[in-house]
Amino acid sequence: MSTLTWGLLVLLGLIWGGSFFFARIAVQQVPPFTLVFLRLSLAALALHLYLHGRFGFYDALRSRWRQFLVMGLINNAVPHTLIFMGQTEIGAGLAAILNATTPIFTVLIANSLTKDEKITSAKLAGCILGLAGTAVMIGPGAFARSDIPFWALLLPVLAAVSYGFAGTYGKRFRGVAAPVTAAGQLTASSLMMLPVCLAVDSPWTLSLPSTGAIAAILGLALLSTAFAYILFFRIMSLAGATNTSLVTLLVPPSAILLGILFLGEHLEATDIGGMLLIAAGLVILDGRIVARRQPG
């Protein structure tokens, strides 16, 4: 990858790490369902303005609305809700580490549901390491941490499972312009979350959030969702899907750094150990470092 591409990749890692940071601030004042709706709807509106009907966007909405509904459910509505609910109790860095298991579950799910992405010994080793890291973080030691409920640690992992299904289902959108897929799924998930938000949270009864929380919501929607998608697809066009997937390794460190600097968060030794195991698993799944070490 060129220096420019690496720079864009690092920027995307910071922005997606920032999504956990923004969410941790906003979810203290805005209930999870309402926060999910605001994130998705504002991002969808921004992408509608960006596309302005280009790439056959409206035709795609009409012809693929069922697929957008499924993708919006498993790639936006469900995982975002699970992460935000977890972040009512856990910090940005810890949520980002747990959610970094997404590629591991994607490999396991693709192996079960597809014929062209079967697991290899290297992938199996990477998955075992990643799952071991997750177990270290939410295993028996978690019950000794009286300040964090077990369910709060489990929800970001379940979100990663949902993202894993979305990664496999997303193959149905091959041939569709990537920004159209992004805007389509965000539009669908916004429509799904609206009645849930209204029924569960009764947002008209909520107090107006503080200026900081409003800024965090805007950052979450416009920067970490709408702009991040545009940046993500730009990197995809320059470097391909495999290189772009390296962003998974960059998100947790940026979320951890932001949490430590601005939210006063800290990590336990088990969190750091789990993060290292997950990172090692992701490196093995990526495969390139192992390939370089092979003779010939």
Side-chain angles (χ1 to χ4, degrees):
M1 290 191 292
S2 67
T3 303
L4 170 63
T5 307
W6 272 111
L8 293 176
L9 193 70
V10 171
L11 177 61
L12 181 61
L14 289 171
I15 290 173
W16 270 343
S19 70
F20 293 90
F21 169 74
F22 291 136
R24 180 58 175 165
I25 294 173
V27 81
Q28 303 302 310
Q29 300 182 38
V30 180
F33 289 111
T34 299
L35 183 58
V36 171
F37 171 70
L38 290 173
R39 175 183 188 175
L40 298 177
S41 59
L42 291 173
L45 177 61
L47 284 177
H48 273 263
L49 295 174
Y50 168 75
L51 285 170
H52 199 59
R54 293 179 296 163
F55 305 112
F57 176 47
Y58 298 123
D59 289 336
L61 279 180
R62 284 190 291 269
S63 63
R64 292 177 173 266
W65 64 271
R66 292 180 182 84
Q67 293 176 337
F68 284 136
L69 281 173
V70 175
M71 194 65 172
L73 179 68
I74 61 179
N75 199 45
N76 296 141
V78 169
H80 290 349
T81 300
L82 292 173
I83 292 170
F84 291 170
M85 290 178 69
Q87 283 201 264
T88 61
E89 297 287 344
I90 64 176
L94 186 51
I97 294 170
L98 290 168
N99 195 241
T101 55
T102 293
I104 294 161
F105 288 110
T106 301
V107 168
L108 294 174
I109 291 167
N111 178 70
S112 300
L113 300 182
T114 67
K115 296 181 179 179
D116 59 339
E117 289 195 40
K118 294 303 179 183
I119 203 163
T120 63
S121 57
K123 287 182 178 180
L124 180 61
C127 288
I128 291 173
L129 275 175
L131 294 174
T134 307
V136 167
M137 296 174 65
I138 65 171
F143 293 99
R145 297 168 63 163
S146 58
D147 57 324
I148 300 179
F150 174 75
W151 60 263
L153 295 169
L154 184 61
L155 291 185
V157 179
L158 294 178
V161 175
S162 186
Y163 282 133
F165 279 105
T168 301
Y169 187 82
K171 292 182 177 182
R172 298 169 185 260
F173 295 95
R174 285 174 177 168
V176 180
V180 170
T181 302
Q185 67 172 359
L186 286 170
T187 301
S189 54
S190 298
L191 294 174
M192 284 187 287
M193 288 305 301
L194 178 58
V196 178
C197 163
L198 295 177
V200 177
D201 291 339
S202 301
W204 58 88
T205 66
L206 302 175
S207 301
L208 184 69
S210 66
T211 302
I214 292 173
I217 293 169
L218 292 175
L220 186 63
L222 302 180
L223 181 63
S224 294
T225 306
F227 178 70
Y229 268 124
I230 296 171
L231 186 59
F232 175 78
F233 296 131
R234 173 60 175 163
I235 298 171
M236 284 271 285
S237 68
L238 292 173
T242 302
N243 285 323
T244 306
S245 69
L246 289 174
V247 73
T248 312
L249 296 171
L250 302 176
V251 172
S254 64
I256 292 167
L257 181 61
L258 289 169
I260 291 173
L261 291 178
F262 298 104
L263 301 177
E265 296 178 2
H266 68 280
L267 296 177
E268 303 290 341
T270 52
D271 300 332
I272 297 172
M275 179 180 68
L276 293 175
L277 284 172
I278 292 170
L282 294 178
V283 168
I284 292 175
L285 284 178
D286 178 63
R288 280 171 288 185
I289 291 179
V290 176
R292 287 195 191 103
R293 291 181 175 273
Q294 293 178 348

